[in-house]
Amino acid sequence: MRFGYSCCSERNTEQHQQHDNLSELERLKELAFGAPTVNLVNSLIVKGIKLRASDMHLEPIDGRYRVRYRVDGVLQESELIPMDLQLAVVSRIKILAGMDIAERRKPQDGKIETSVAAKELDIRVSALPLGEGESIVMRFLLKESINFGLETIGYEPDLIEIIEQDLKKTAGVILMTGPTGSGKTTSLYSFLAKINTPQVKIITLEDPIEYQLSGINQVQVNTEIGFDFARGLRSIVRQDPDVIMIGEIRDQETARIAMQSSLTGHLVFSTVHTNDTATTFTRLIDLGVEEFLLNASVISIMAQRLVRTICPHCKVPDESAQQILEHSDLGHLMALVDNKPTICKGAGCERCGGSGFRGRMAILEYLPNDYEVQALKKDEAFLEQVRQYRKRKQLRTLREDGLLKVLKGHTTLDEVIRVAG
């Protein structure tokens, strides 16, 4: 009898828990579909698009739910939402992104496809549990064909000429390096656009696919089913491509397949997370790629950052920065400026939200893997030897490329120091 009573008690407890879970789920859905919540979430997304934000961050802090937008790479604080609306807002976003609204203990990822102001938009959503609630980050990706010229990105004419020669090669590896958000993928897309013709088969392997490229086969990585970069790359090489783009080299297997693919007649593009061009060699060796394989396969390595450009509507001369640069040894850069350098800054206006900046452009460090670089032993002396090599060849560092853009009036000295040191 006692055993039977115990079973009944357990069943009743389980039924109560299921009922409570269902009640909680219904309550969350009711909150999420309420008109105030719907209007609030919609207005936050629309505001992000109007600000040209790349990301929107919602996070609990000091009893409020803070909203911040990343505009031109810098976070800007926006409104503060009362904490009692946090659950409603999070539930609404989770439902739109196809996530589990009842799960608040572990991270989740999702995607929203929508249109704002007649523009198709992909929003990548990440939810992370915190002590006071959940942090939501939404990345805005416009679903439109990208066709940026290298000039539009901000590449200097002398570097464009060199890069275009690299793009004419039919085999080898071209690597782009830099931190997350430094425009690496956009630059690789621009390279692909340069060589995208009906005679060339191009396949990309990405995570995620950020922009749709007309005439190019784009493959989405799916780690949940074991379809990672290495496995995807092995499948791609059986598709008879001429050009392969790998979103990122993260492990030894992907690195080796990429290098070996270039030796069998493929032009390969990819990215690596390192700070500059020279350390990319040491990073790949740390991953287990043999030095001879790097020497035989790599064409060139580029390190990239994005600097904010001065707002054209409130651009004024900057006398203090002009004096600093006049006393610096920048003769080799002055020769690349057509007119007399005019150092500028943004005074701040309505169109740039008072920041003095509007938009971003790339600063670039280029390193060819020529015979001289191949001959250098990739040991502890390698970085210093590359520095001396760059000086002899007059190849600009990231900082020097940034200073050239200061001399041309595109960005400010403070911005270059902030980004490139």
Side-chain angles (χ1 to χ4, degrees):
M1 288 293 291
R2 288 177 63 190
F3 178 73
Y5 176 76
S6 176
C7 284
C8 287
S9 298
E10 287 174 8
R11 278 200 300 272
N12 287 338
T13 303
E14 196 174 311
Q15 286 171 357
H16 278 304
Q17 285 176 344
Q18 288 174 350
H19 181 267
D20 289 344
N21 288 341
L22 285 172
S23 299
E24 175 70 4
L25 200 59
E26 290 304 315
R27 188 175 74 85
L28 291 174
K29 285 182 179 177
E30 191 177 322
L31 285 171
F33 286 103
T37 307
V38 172
N39 292 336
L40 175 57
V41 171
N42 288 349
S43 68
L44 291 173
I45 292 172
V46 169
K47 183 174 181 179
I49 300 305
K50 285 182 177 176
L51 286 172
R52 302 174 295 104
S54 59
D55 306 86
M56 179 170 74
H57 296 240
L58 300 98
E59 52 213 353
I61 183 168
D62 298 332
R64 295 278 191 152
Y65 205 45
R66 177 173 66 176
V67 181
R68 294 191 290 174
Y69 296 98
R70 190 176 294 280
V71 181
D72 294 334
V74 177
L75 280 171
Q76 298 180 3
E77 193 161 317
S78 187
E79 47 259 84
L80 289 169
I81 301 171
M83 191 59 99
D84 57 5
L85 289 177
Q86 178 191 177
L87 197 55
V89 169
V90 170
S91 298
R92 175 67 184 168
I93 293 169
K94 282 184 174 180
I95 286 172
L96 291 173
M99 295 153 75
D100 183 357
I101 61 172
E103 180 57 73
R104 299 199 290 270
R105 297 166 300 171
K106 62 183 181 182
Q108 294 188 73
D109 294 302
K111 184 174 80 166
I112 301 170
E113 293 185 355
T114 185
S115 61
V116 177
K119 290 183 177 180
E120 292 297 311
L121 183 69
D122 255 3
I123 305 176
R124 309 285 168 159
V125 184
S126 170
L128 180 70
L130 303 178
E132 297 180 62
E134 286 183 274
S135 167
I136 302 287
V137 175
M138 305 171 72
R139 167 155 285 192
F140 302 128
L141 299 169
L142 287 172
K143 288 170 65 177
E144 55 187 19
S145 292
I146 188 169
N147 191 21
F148 291 152
L150 298 182
E151 301 88 351
T152 311
I153 297 173
Y155 286 14
E156 296 296 332
D158 59 336
L159 289 177
I160 291 175
E161 191 176 332
I162 297 169
I163 292 166
E164 286 181 342
Q165 292 303 312
D166 288 349
L167 297 179
K168 288 177 182 176
K169 295 178 180 176
T170 56
V173 179
I174 295 174
L175 295 171
M176 180 68 68
T177 181
T180 301
S182 58
K184 300 186 299 294
T185 305
T186 301
S187 292
L188 291 185
Y189 282 165
S190 300
F191 296 164
L192 295 180
K194 281 267 183 191
I195 59 177
N196 184 19
T197 66
Q199 293 76 39
V200 177
K201 179 162 184 174
I202 303 173
I203 305 180
T204 72
L205 186 63
E206 304 172 62
D207 184 24
I209 296 172
E210 294 193 11
Y211 296 97
Q212 300 298 321
L213 301 173
S214 178
I216 291 176
N217 300 292
Q218 294 175 267
V219 181
Q220 170 73 54
V221 168
N222 188 344
T223 51
E224 289 182 8
I225 61 170
F227 188 68
D228 56 12
F229 279 111
R231 188 171 176 182
L233 188 49
R234 285 197 299 270
S235 301
I236 281 176
V237 294
R238 291 194 287 268
Q239 287 280 310
D240 188 31
D242 299 296
V243 178
I244 301 169
M245 188 193 99
I246 309 159
E248 184 184 343
I249 291 177
R250 299 175 180 171
D251 53 62
Q252 180 182 14
E253 189 177 5
T254 307
R256 276 191 172 160
I257 298 170
M259 303 299 156
Q260 288 163 356
S261 298
S262 73
L263 298 179
T264 55
H266 302 92
L267 184 59
V268 180
F269 297 91
S270 192
T271 70
V272 185
H273 278 290
T274 55
N275 289 326
D276 55 34
T277 52
T279 53
T280 304
F281 282 102
T282 53
R283 168 66 179 150
L284 290 170
I285 288 171
D286 287 343
L287 279 178
V289 182
E290 295 86 352
E291 191 174 323
F292 76 86
L293 190 54
L294 288 176
N295 287 337
S297 58
V298 173
I299 296 170
S300 58
I301 302 172
M302 285 162 266
Q304 182 170 295
R305 301 288 189 279
L306 294 176
V307 293
R308 292 179 292 172
T309 51
I310 299 167
C311 174
H313 306 288
C314 60
K315 194 174 188 177
V316 294
D318 185 354
E319 298 298 337
S320 58
Q322 181 91 31
Q323 290 171 10
I324 292 170
L325 291 175
E326 279 175 0
H327 293 88
S328 304
D329 182 20
L330 301 176
H332 62 300
L333 298 179
M334 294 284 193
L336 298 170
V337 182
D338 294 332
N339 304 311
K340 184 185 176 184
T342 304
I343 316 304
C344 298
K345 65 180 180 180
C349 66
E350 232 177 70
R351 300 204 191 185
C352 63
S355 69
F357 296 98
R358 187 172 174 84
R360 289 189 292 174
M361 70 191 316
I363 57 174
L364 194 72
E365 177 180 297
Y366 176 88
L367 180 66
N369 188 31
D370 59 16
Y371 292 120
E372 278 192 63
V373 175
Q374 289 173 27
L376 297 175
K377 182 74 176 166
K378 310 303 186 290
D379 55 16
E380 59 275 1
F382 177 67
L383 299 183
E384 175 58 26
Q385 290 172 332
V386 169
R387 191 187 69 79
Q388 293 171 5
Y389 163 84
R390 300 185 68 85
K391 203 169 182 179
R392 287 198 310 274
K393 296 283 187 176
Q394 293 191 329
L395 293 169
R396 295 187 296 279
T397 62
L398 276 167
R399 188 171 182 273
E400 288 171 335
D401 199 52
L403 290 174
L404 178 57
K405 286 170 172 57
V406 173
L407 294 172
K408 290 187 173 185
H410 298 319
T411 189
T412 67
L413 182 59
D414 286 345
E415 179 68 2
V416 171
I417 293 169
R418 180 184 75 85
V419 172

